[in-house]
Amino acid sequence: MMTSFYTATAGAIAQEQKMDVTSNNIANASTQGFKPDKVSFADLLYTGVHGKETANSLKVGHGDRLDNTDTVFTQGSVQKTNRSLDYALPSENAFFAVRCTDGTVRFTRNGGFQLSENADGGFFLADSQGGVVLDSDGNAITVKNEDDPQNVGVYSFKNCDGLKKTGGNYLEETTASGLASVSNVKPIQGSIEESTVDLADEMTAMISAQKAFAFNAKILSISDNTMQTVNNLR
């Protein structure tokens, strides 16, 4: 009976984590350049039904756990905006570099840029959160005429699946991703990449997770009631 209790608890926790990921995807369905996350699960330990495990013995599982959360870097549709400070990337493994307000260099697919005044009275190319957009040499971009194509740096990684999401539609390089290198991909001025979230898929995943969570919660309730009944018989 204790096995069913802990198995259902593990399953409920895993489905709650899936709902958190799915909810974040849905919330960013309109975020420019956003890439959704997908979860994968792994089985927990299997043990013999009668305690002693052999090659042919019956086994019972102990639920599952969230094994990994992967960002799906598929190319989003590029929409023309005719706004000179908008830039879109036409390749999956391509990212803009931004020096954030805390001094950390992060990467993004969101090319909806704006102007930020610098100390000299001029303007830097910046993102919506105040980070300064970098060129291919890692320097801030000074804008003299916003209608002119800017020298926006584009970077790629050996393994973009190894990038780490840090919030704010930013990504950070990791040991798994490797260091950023300058890409030959040319950004498209006057256009923006839309989010690649598929609302139909995400709503289906949300319903599935909710039903699985409810099932595990029901097993928890049954296990708890059964244990109370057994204790009352003593």
Side-chain angles (χ1 to χ4, degrees):
M1 189 57 62
M2 292 298 292
T3 298
S4 65
F5 188 86
Y6 289 120
T7 299
T9 300
I13 291 172
Q15 294 304 320
E16 184 178 20
Q17 292 170 326
K18 179 180 179 179
M19 285 191 284
D20 289 341
V21 172
T22 306
S23 297
N24 184 62
N25 289 342
I26 293 173
N28 286 281
S30 300
T31 302
Q32 296 168 347
F34 181 82
K35 303 300 174 185
D37 292 323
K38 298 296 181 184
V39 299
S40 58
F41 297 97
D43 292 339
L44 294 176
L45 182 69
Y46 281 82
T47 58
V49 171
H50 301 294
K52 186 177 181 181
E53 186 174 344
T54 64
N56 297 320
S57 65
L58 293 175
K59 297 181 177 62
V60 60
H62 293 270
D64 59 359
R65 63 176 176 83
L66 184 68
D67 183 50
N68 206 7
T69 302
D70 297 312
T71 302
V72 183
F73 288 102
T74 53
Q75 177 65 40
S77 60
V78 175
Q79 298 296 323
K80 194 171 184 63
T81 65
N82 294 319
R83 180 176 177 270
S84 59
L85 296 179
D86 284 343
Y87 290 85
L89 294 169
S91 173
E92 293 180 7
N93 188 0
F95 305 88
F96 301 113
V98 178
R99 182 177 293 112
C100 299
T101 54
D102 63 358
T104 304
V105 175
R106 297 185 175 94
F107 300 87
T108 183
R109 296 276 302 188
N110 186 355
F113 300 137
Q114 58 190 23
L115 298 180
S116 176
E117 190 171 1
N118 60 31
D120 299 327
F123 294 93
F124 286 136
L125 190 64
D127 70 355
S128 60
Q129 300 185 64
V132 178
V133 183
L134 305 181
D135 62 18
S136 55
D137 295 320
N139 300 317
I141 299 172
T142 301
V143 179
K144 296 180 179 178
N145 184 347
E146 64 181 78
D147 292 328
D148 293 338
Q150 307 300 321
N151 182 28
V152 180
V154 180
Y155 297 81
S156 61
F157 296 86
K158 290 183 179 179
N159 175 28
C160 61
D161 290 327
L163 291 168
K164 176 185 176 182
K165 280 190 174 182
T166 60
N169 212 7
Y170 287 132
L171 299 154
E172 280 188 354
E173 59 188 11
T174 65
T175 302
S177 69
L179 297 177
S181 59
V182 177
S183 172
N184 58 7
V185 172
K186 302 298 182 184
I188 304 171
Q189 187 179 20
S191 298
I192 204 76
E193 181 190 15
E194 293 189 335
S195 170
T196 55
V197 172
D198 187 319
L199 279 177
D201 287 346
E202 298 302 331
M203 291 303 297
T204 300
M206 177 65 75
I207 293 170
S208 174
Q210 287 174 335
K211 289 184 177 296
F213 181 87
F215 176 78
N216 282 287
K218 184 66 174 178
I219 296 299
L220 274 171
S221 178
I222 293 172
S223 298
D224 182 55
N225 291 335
T226 304
M227 283 191 288
Q228 288 183 26
T229 301
V230 171
N231 288 334
N232 290 335
L233 291 175
R234 294 178 181 177

